[in-house]
Short mmCIF file of all heavy atoms in Angstrom, two decimals:
data_model
loop_
_atom_site.label_atom_id
_atom_site.label_comp_id
_atom_site.label_asym_id
_atom_site.label_seq_id
_atom_site.Cartn_x
_atom_site.Cartn_y
_atom_site.Cartn_z
N PRO A 1 164.89 47.05 -26.95
CA PRO A 1 166.31 46.83 -26.70
C PRO A 1 166.64 46.46 -25.26
O PRO A 1 165.96 46.89 -24.32
CB PRO A 1 166.95 48.17 -27.08
CG PRO A 1 165.85 49.17 -27.00
CD PRO A 1 164.60 48.45 -27.36
N VAL A 2 167.69 45.68 -25.10
CA VAL A 2 168.22 45.34 -23.79
C VAL A 2 168.79 46.61 -23.15
O VAL A 2 169.40 47.44 -23.83
CB VAL A 2 169.31 44.26 -23.92
CG1 VAL A 2 169.96 43.96 -22.57
CG2 VAL A 2 168.72 42.99 -24.52
N ILE A 3 168.61 46.77 -21.85
CA ILE A 3 169.03 48.00 -21.18
C ILE A 3 169.82 47.68 -19.91
O ILE A 3 169.76 46.56 -19.40
CB ILE A 3 167.82 48.90 -20.83
CG1 ILE A 3 166.76 48.09 -20.05
CG2 ILE A 3 167.23 49.53 -22.07
CD1 ILE A 3 165.57 48.90 -19.59
N ASP A 4 170.55 48.68 -19.42
CA ASP A 4 171.31 48.51 -18.18
C ASP A 4 170.89 49.53 -17.12
O ASP A 4 171.63 49.84 -16.20
CB ASP A 4 172.81 48.60 -18.44
CG ASP A 4 173.23 49.93 -19.06
OD1 ASP A 4 172.37 50.83 -19.20
OD2 ASP A 4 174.41 50.06 -19.42
N ASP A 5 169.67 50.06 -17.27
CA ASP A 5 169.15 51.04 -16.32
C ASP A 5 167.64 50.85 -16.21
O ASP A 5 167.08 49.89 -16.73
CB ASP A 5 169.50 52.47 -16.74
CG ASP A 5 169.01 52.81 -18.15
OD1 ASP A 5 168.02 52.19 -18.61
OD2 ASP A 5 169.61 53.69 -18.79
N GLY A 6 166.98 51.77 -15.52
CA GLY A 6 165.55 51.64 -15.29
C GLY A 6 164.66 52.27 -16.33
O GLY A 6 163.45 52.42 -16.11
N ARG A 7 165.25 52.62 -17.48
CA ARG A 7 164.48 53.36 -18.49
C ARG A 7 163.22 52.62 -18.93
O ARG A 7 162.14 53.20 -19.02
CB ARG A 7 165.38 53.65 -19.70
CG ARG A 7 164.67 54.34 -20.86
CD ARG A 7 165.69 54.86 -21.85
NE ARG A 7 166.46 53.80 -22.47
CZ ARG A 7 166.16 53.27 -23.67
NH1 ARG A 7 165.11 53.71 -24.34
NH2 ARG A 7 166.92 52.33 -24.19
N GLY A 8 163.35 51.34 -19.21
CA GLY A 8 162.19 50.59 -19.69
C GLY A 8 161.10 50.48 -18.65
O GLY A 8 159.90 50.54 -18.97
N ILE A 9 161.49 50.30 -17.40
CA ILE A 9 160.50 50.23 -16.32
C ILE A 9 159.75 51.55 -16.24
O ILE A 9 158.52 51.57 -16.14
CB ILE A 9 161.19 49.89 -14.98
CG1 ILE A 9 161.80 48.49 -15.03
CG2 ILE A 9 160.19 50.01 -13.83
CD1 ILE A 9 162.64 48.13 -13.82
N GLU A 10 160.49 52.66 -16.31
CA GLU A 10 159.85 53.97 -16.21
C GLU A 10 158.99 54.26 -17.42
O GLU A 10 157.90 54.85 -17.30
CB GLU A 10 160.90 55.06 -16.02
CG GLU A 10 161.55 55.03 -14.65
CD GLU A 10 160.53 55.11 -13.53
OE1 GLU A 10 159.61 55.94 -13.61
OE2 GLU A 10 160.63 54.31 -12.58
N GLN A 11 159.45 53.88 -18.62
CA GLN A 11 158.63 54.09 -19.81
C GLN A 11 157.31 53.34 -19.71
O GLN A 11 156.24 53.90 -19.98
CB GLN A 11 159.39 53.60 -21.06
CG GLN A 11 160.48 54.50 -21.55
CD GLN A 11 161.10 53.96 -22.84
OE1 GLN A 11 161.01 52.78 -23.15
NE2 GLN A 11 161.74 54.84 -23.58
N THR A 12 157.40 52.08 -19.33
CA THR A 12 156.18 51.27 -19.23
C THR A 12 155.25 51.83 -18.17
O THR A 12 154.03 51.92 -18.37
CB THR A 12 156.54 49.81 -18.90
OG1 THR A 12 157.51 49.33 -19.83
CG2 THR A 12 155.31 48.91 -18.97
N ARG A 13 155.82 52.24 -17.04
CA ARG A 13 155.01 52.82 -15.96
C ARG A 13 154.31 54.09 -16.44
O ARG A 13 153.10 54.29 -16.18
CB ARG A 13 155.91 53.11 -14.76
CG ARG A 13 155.16 53.69 -13.58
CD ARG A 13 156.15 54.10 -12.51
NE ARG A 13 156.56 52.98 -11.67
CZ ARG A 13 157.81 52.74 -11.28
NH1 ARG A 13 158.79 53.52 -11.70
NH2 ARG A 13 158.07 51.73 -10.49
N ARG A 14 155.04 54.99 -17.11
CA ARG A 14 154.42 56.24 -17.59
C ARG A 14 153.27 55.94 -18.54
O ARG A 14 152.21 56.57 -18.46
CB ARG A 14 155.45 57.13 -18.30
CG ARG A 14 156.37 57.88 -17.39
CD ARG A 14 157.04 59.04 -18.10
NE ARG A 14 157.79 58.64 -19.28
CZ ARG A 14 159.04 58.17 -19.25
NH1 ARG A 14 159.66 58.01 -18.08
NH2 ARG A 14 159.67 57.86 -20.36
N TYR A 15 153.49 55.00 -19.43
CA TYR A 15 152.46 54.70 -20.43
C TYR A 15 151.21 54.12 -19.77
O TYR A 15 150.09 54.53 -20.07
CB TYR A 15 153.01 53.74 -21.47
CG TYR A 15 152.03 53.48 -22.60
CD1 TYR A 15 151.80 54.44 -23.58
CD2 TYR A 15 151.32 52.29 -22.68
CE1 TYR A 15 150.90 54.22 -24.60
CE2 TYR A 15 150.42 52.05 -23.70
CZ TYR A 15 150.21 53.02 -24.67
OH TYR A 15 149.31 52.81 -25.68
N LEU A 16 151.39 53.17 -18.87
CA LEU A 16 150.23 52.55 -18.22
C LEU A 16 149.47 53.56 -17.37
O LEU A 16 148.23 53.55 -17.34
CB LEU A 16 150.69 51.37 -17.36
CG LEU A 16 151.36 50.20 -18.08
CD1 LEU A 16 151.67 49.08 -17.09
CD2 LEU A 16 150.53 49.69 -19.24
N ARG A 17 150.20 54.43 -16.69
CA ARG A 17 149.52 55.47 -15.90
C ARG A 17 148.74 56.40 -16.81
O ARG A 17 147.62 56.83 -16.47
CB ARG A 17 150.55 56.24 -15.07
CG ARG A 17 151.06 55.47 -13.86
CD ARG A 17 152.15 56.26 -13.14
NE ARG A 17 152.54 55.61 -11.90
CZ ARG A 17 153.62 55.94 -11.20
NH1 ARG A 17 154.41 56.94 -11.63
NH2 ARG A 17 153.92 55.31 -10.07
N TRP A 18 149.32 56.74 -17.97
CA TRP A 18 148.60 57.61 -18.90
C TRP A 18 147.36 56.91 -19.44
O TRP A 18 146.28 57.53 -19.51
CB TRP A 18 149.51 58.03 -20.06
CG TRP A 18 148.75 58.84 -21.07
CD1 TRP A 18 148.42 60.16 -20.97
CD2 TRP A 18 148.17 58.36 -22.28
NE1 TRP A 18 147.66 60.53 -22.05
CE2 TRP A 18 147.50 59.45 -22.86
CE3 TRP A 18 148.15 57.12 -22.91
CZ2 TRP A 18 146.82 59.34 -24.08
CZ3 TRP A 18 147.48 57.00 -24.12
CH2 TRP A 18 146.82 58.10 -24.69
N LEU A 19 147.49 55.64 -19.83
CA LEU A 19 146.31 54.90 -20.27
C LEU A 19 145.21 54.94 -19.22
O LEU A 19 144.04 55.22 -19.53
CB LEU A 19 146.66 53.43 -20.56
CG LEU A 19 147.33 53.06 -21.87
CD1 LEU A 19 147.46 51.53 -21.96
CD2 LEU A 19 146.59 53.59 -23.08
N ASP A 20 145.58 54.66 -17.98
CA ASP A 20 144.59 54.60 -16.91
C ASP A 20 143.90 55.94 -16.73
O ASP A 20 142.66 56.01 -16.66
CB ASP A 20 145.28 54.16 -15.62
CG ASP A 20 144.31 54.04 -14.45
OD1 ASP A 20 143.33 53.29 -14.58
OD2 ASP A 20 144.53 54.72 -13.42
N SER A 21 144.67 57.00 -16.64
CA SER A 21 144.07 58.32 -16.38
C SER A 21 143.27 58.82 -17.58
O SER A 21 142.17 59.37 -17.42
CB SER A 21 145.14 59.33 -16.00
OG SER A 21 146.06 59.52 -17.06
N SER A 22 143.79 58.63 -18.79
CA SER A 22 143.09 59.13 -19.97
C SER A 22 141.82 58.33 -20.26
O SER A 22 140.79 58.90 -20.63
CB SER A 22 144.01 59.13 -21.19
OG SER A 22 144.36 57.81 -21.57
N PHE A 23 141.86 57.02 -20.07
CA PHE A 23 140.66 56.20 -20.28
C PHE A 23 139.61 56.51 -19.22
O PHE A 23 138.41 56.55 -19.52
CB PHE A 23 141.01 54.72 -20.26
CG PHE A 23 141.74 54.22 -21.49
CD1 PHE A 23 142.10 55.07 -22.51
CD2 PHE A 23 142.06 52.89 -21.61
CE1 PHE A 23 142.77 54.61 -23.64
CE2 PHE A 23 142.72 52.40 -22.74
CZ PHE A 23 143.09 53.27 -23.75
N ASP A 24 140.05 56.72 -17.99
CA ASP A 24 139.10 57.05 -16.94
C ASP A 24 138.42 58.39 -17.22
O ASP A 24 137.19 58.53 -17.09
CB ASP A 24 139.82 57.09 -15.59
CG ASP A 24 138.86 57.35 -14.44
OD1 ASP A 24 137.99 56.48 -14.20
OD2 ASP A 24 138.97 58.40 -13.79
N ALA A 25 139.21 59.38 -17.62
CA ALA A 25 138.63 60.69 -17.92
C ALA A 25 137.67 60.62 -19.10
O ALA A 25 136.60 61.25 -19.10
CB ALA A 25 139.75 61.69 -18.21
N ALA A 26 138.04 59.84 -20.13
CA ALA A 26 137.17 59.71 -21.30
C ALA A 26 135.85 59.04 -20.93
O ALA A 26 134.78 59.45 -21.39
CB ALA A 26 137.89 58.91 -22.39
N ALA A 27 135.93 58.02 -20.08
CA ALA A 27 134.71 57.34 -19.66
C ALA A 27 133.82 58.28 -18.85
O ALA A 27 132.58 58.26 -18.98
CB ALA A 27 135.06 56.09 -18.86
#
């Protein structure tokens, strides 16, 4: 959805950071 705040930026940032940390730990 179209947004008028930073929610989408923060959601995407949280997800990418989680991918990075969880994949690194798994490796």
Side-chain angles (χ1 to χ4, degrees):
V2 176
I3 52 177
D4 59 6
D5 55 27
R7 177 167 63 96
I9 295 173
E10 289 304 315
Q11 284 184 339
T12 308
R13 181 187 277 137
R14 282 198 303 277
Y15 185 74
L16 298 183
R17 285 176 173 167
W18 176 79
L19 281 185
D20 181 57
S21 62
S22 66
F23 286 3
D24 184 64

